[in-house]
Amino acid sequence: SCSAAARGSLKMAVCAWALILAIVVSVCVVGDAGPNKYGIGLVNEGSATELALAAEMAGQDGWVLLTFAGIWNDTTAAHSEWVAAVNTAYAHQLQPVIRLSPPWGQSHYRDLSDDTNHRSYLHLAQIFKAVVAGLPLVGTTNLYLQIDNEPDLCYEWYCGSGLPQPLSYIEMAAEYASFLRDVTKAIRSLGDQRLQVSMAALAPGGGLQCGCCGSQNCPGDKPGITGLQFMGAMEQAVPGIFEGLDFLASHAYPASGIGFGFNAPFDQAGPGLGYYHLELKQINRTNLPVLITETGWATKRDGLPPCTEAQKANWTASAWSQVWNPDPFVMGVMPFMLQDKVWGDDDGYGYVLTDGTRLPVFSTVKQQRCAAGLPPAC
């Protein structure tokens, strides 16, 4: 969430979402199925069953987010299961998007910097390069790479060892921007234009400061900024950092405000669903293509207003038909998430329960994709 002051400063931007939507809808060619923007996110590299489910729902040329959580200072190459997952995605005619991340619970890349000021990450960048170099590429198909995840949240960019004072978001943004600069340059040195790079998708509502107690959650953690402010601090620290992006990964969750009001009904959720337009404006890259690598409604997540599975299905279908599919900036959308015991079964984000039960949102999105004429037929 963000502070009252931040909310006030964003009122005009929040209100502008309907105008943005009207503009993008006006350029849509009515009756043309267009490119396939349907997809789904996985919280790991994905099993054969999960990737088959993703292909069934998203269809030919649909999108799938694969989370490769395991890149650390002792990594020497892409894990075999990561290579297999990309190949399986290709075999299903899916377009894979790769989230390159640390092991779960170890999201303190700042501690792997080359210097005590956390502004140089050349060694870690070579590790990322080695991982990416080992991922399969096919023909002229691009492979989309998201470099880390939500570093504007304390538990996603935390101090592995305690510090005497909190870490401000300005410092976190400077550290992440330096990390992104070095990793991007290393990947570019592979010389393959099919490797498409984005910064981490940011949380729309981030941390004003982080307690730095040596844990993912600290007493000194304080919310209070938006991802837009974090982007501004990144540019201040590393001027031109956004010029090297091939696409923008965005977490455009349904919300009635920017950084607050999450899980709002569809008719109130426009500011969040179209949030990426504000991000593009913030980084001065208004023509950059967008991949939404997280979004979606949760039926029973603590701290969020609940909804039914039927509402989740209907609202998701409306988001695709009224917001994302008509928007020429959006390449693909991968809601959070296909299947997981905690985030799916318990919190209600899932499309398929871990016992194999397909929830209404899975069938609704699949039928919508088929009705749009996107193969294969249902």
Side-chain angles (χ1 to χ4, degrees):
S1 63
C2 63
S3 66
R7 296 185 195 185
S9 67
L10 286 162
K11 282 184 179 178
M12 292 184 65
V14 170
C15 293
W17 81 271
L19 178 60
I20 291 170
L21 177 58
I23 292 171
V24 299
V25 169
S26 70
V27 301
C28 177
V29 180
V30 177
D32 182 4
N36 188 348
K37 301 184 182 184
Y38 291 95
I40 192 66
L42 307 184
V43 297
N44 50 32
E45 63 273 3
S47 66
T49 298
E50 288 171 324
L51 287 163
L53 286 166
E56 178 185 340
M57 191 193 80
Q60 182 179 323
D61 297 324
W63 300 83
V64 62
L65 176 73
L66 307 178
T67 299
F68 293 173
I71 302 175
W72 202 241
N73 60 354
D74 56 353
T75 303
T76 58
H79 296 182
S80 60
E81 58 266 32
W82 299 348
V83 174
V86 176
N87 279 325
T88 302
Y90 289 146
H92 282 295
Q93 296 182 286
L94 290 168
Q95 302 186 72
V97 180
I98 313 301
R99 181 179 123 185
L100 300 168
S101 300
W104 294 109
Q106 292 179 221
S107 50
H108 51 99
Y109 275 148
R110 69 184 307 271
D111 294 328
L112 303 187
S113 63
D114 305 317
D115 63 329
T116 56
N117 292 325
H118 309 289
R119 295 297 191 275
S120 176
Y121 295 85
L122 298 179
H123 175 69
L124 188 57
Q126 290 302 309
I127 292 174
F128 272 77
K129 176 182 176 180
V131 169
V132 172
L135 298 178
L137 294 163
V138 175
T140 60
T141 301
N142 290 334
L143 186 63
Y144 297 89
L145 308 171
Q146 175 183 306
I147 311 302
D148 207 11
N149 187 64
E150 296 188 334
D152 57 332
L153 294 178
C154 293
Y155 58 84
E156 294 280 20
W157 191 268
Y158 74 97
C159 308
S161 56
L163 293 178
Q165 67 281 333
L167 195 66
S168 73
Y169 83 90
I170 295 174
E171 172 63 22
M172 293 166 63
E175 292 174 2
Y176 175 72
S178 301
F179 162 78
L180 176 64
R181 175 201 62 214
D182 292 347
V183 171
T184 300
K185 184 176 181 180
I187 293 172
R188 296 285 187 227
S189 72
L190 291 170
D192 198 317
Q193 295 184 352
R194 293 172 296 178
L195 298 172
Q196 300 283 292
V197 177
S198 172
M199 63 178 286
L202 298 178
L208 177 67
Q209 69 173 39
C210 299
C212 263
C213 65
S215 175
Q216 284 186 298
N217 298 285
C218 301
D221 295 349
K222 292 182 181 179
I225 66 160
T226 68
L228 305 176
Q229 291 169 278
F230 194 89
M231 286 174 157
M234 286 178 62
E235 176 66 27
Q236 285 292 318
V238 183
I241 186 61
F242 303 116
E243 295 174 7
L245 303 184
D246 297 308
F247 71 99
L248 179 71
S250 180
H251 285 177
Y253 276 95
S256 59
I258 304 303
F260 64 95
F262 293 103
N263 227 52
F266 172 74
D267 62 0
Q268 303 170 31
L273 294 173
Y275 173 65
Y276 50 89
H277 283 287
L278 300 180
E279 294 179 300
L280 293 175
K281 183 178 179 181
Q282 176 67 48
I283 66 174
N284 197 29
R285 296 289 308 277
T286 52
N287 291 321
L288 197 65
V290 174
L291 285 172
I292 298 173
T293 55
E294 284 188 26
T295 185
W297 283 267
T299 58
K300 48 187 176 178
R301 174 75 181 267
D302 286 347
L304 296 179
C307 63
T308 66
E309 288 293 344
Q311 287 173 323
K312 183 174 86 174
N314 293 333
W315 294 344
T316 301
S318 294
W320 249 302
S321 65
Q322 298 182 44
V323 181
W324 303 320
N325 279 340
D327 193 331
F329 292 99
V330 176
M331 287 193 295
V333 184
M334 290 143 279
F336 184 79
M337 33 63 62
L338 178 70
Q339 190 176 49
D340 182 74
K341 176 63 176 69
V342 176
W343 290 313
D345 296 3
D346 296 344
D347 290 346
Y349 282 109
Y351 279 50
V352 179
L353 297 179
T354 52
D355 67 4
T357 302
R358 301 178 186 200
L359 295 170
V361 67
F362 182 96
S363 301
T364 298
V365 171
K366 175 183 174 182
Q367 290 296 330
Q368 185 183 55
R369 186 261 303 164
C370 292
L374 296 167
C378 293

